[in-house]
Amino acid sequence: MSGPDRRHAVGVARDTIRLLGGERAQSDVIAAALLHDVGKVESSFGTFARVGVTCAALAVGRSRLLRWAGDPSGSGRSSRRARVGLYLTHDRLGAALLKGAGSQDVTVSWAAEHHLAPEMWTVDATIGAALKAADGD
C-alpha cells in the first residue's frame, strides 16, 4: 500500500480502537480497519487518478462508469480503462486478496462490505458502525 494509504489505514485503526474501546477492538477488527482498502493496490493508481475516478463516479454514476470500464478481470487489466474498473471494485478485490491470505472472517467481510449500507453488513452492527465512522467515507 502507498504511504497515504498506510497513513489512512493507521488512522482508521486508531479511531476504531478509540470508538470501540479496548475490549471490542480485537485483532480481527483492527486488521479490518487496517486492510479495508487493500484492493486499491490492484489498480496501480496514484492519488490524482483516484480523485479523478472518484469524481467521475460521482458525476456520471458508479455503475455507469463500471459499465464503461468493462470487466477488469480480463487480459487487458493494465489498460487505463480496466484500471478504473479495478479501482471501483477494490472492495471485492480486497476481500478476495484477504481471503486468499487466510485473513479472519471479519477482516474479509469488512473489506467487501465497507461501502455498503449498514443493513447489508454481515459484521456486527456496533463494530461496523465504528469502522465506518473511523473511515469517514
Side-chain angles (χ1 to χ4, degrees):
M1 293 171 66
S2 69
D5 286 341
R6 288 191 310 265
R7 284 188 291 279
H8 167 67
V10 169
V12 172
R14 284 183 184 146
D15 288 348
T16 300
I17 292 166
R18 179 182 50 78
L19 289 166
L20 288 176
E23 297 122 30
R24 299 274 332 239
Q26 301 297 318
S27 63
D28 57 344
V29 175
I30 296 168
L34 290 168
L35 297 170
H36 70 282
D37 280 336
V38 72
K40 289 181 179 181
V41 301
E42 294 290 310
S43 73
S44 302
F45 276 152
T47 303
F48 293 113
R50 290 178 183 191
V51 169
V53 172
T54 301
C55 289
L58 289 171
V60 303
R62 184 178 185 274
S63 59
R64 185 173 177 191
L65 192 56
L66 268 171
R67 282 193 305 276
W68 171 83
D71 182 5
S73 64
S75 60
R77 280 178 70 117
S78 62
S79 74
R80 187 172 306 271
R81 185 179 256 191
R83 289 169 56 203
V84 167
L86 291 169
Y87 179 73
L88 291 172
T89 58
H90 76 272
D91 45 0
R92 179 177 52 84
L93 294 170
L97 288 169
L98 292 166
K99 185 173 185 160
S103 295
Q104 294 178 334
D105 290 342
V106 170
T107 306
V108 174
S109 295
W110 189 248
E113 299 170 6
H114 72 276
H115 288 296
L116 298 178
E119 59 271 9
M120 299 177 77
W121 296 341
T122 61
V123 301
D124 175 271
T126 302
I127 290 171
L131 286 162
K132 186 69 170 176
D135 192 16
D137 67 12

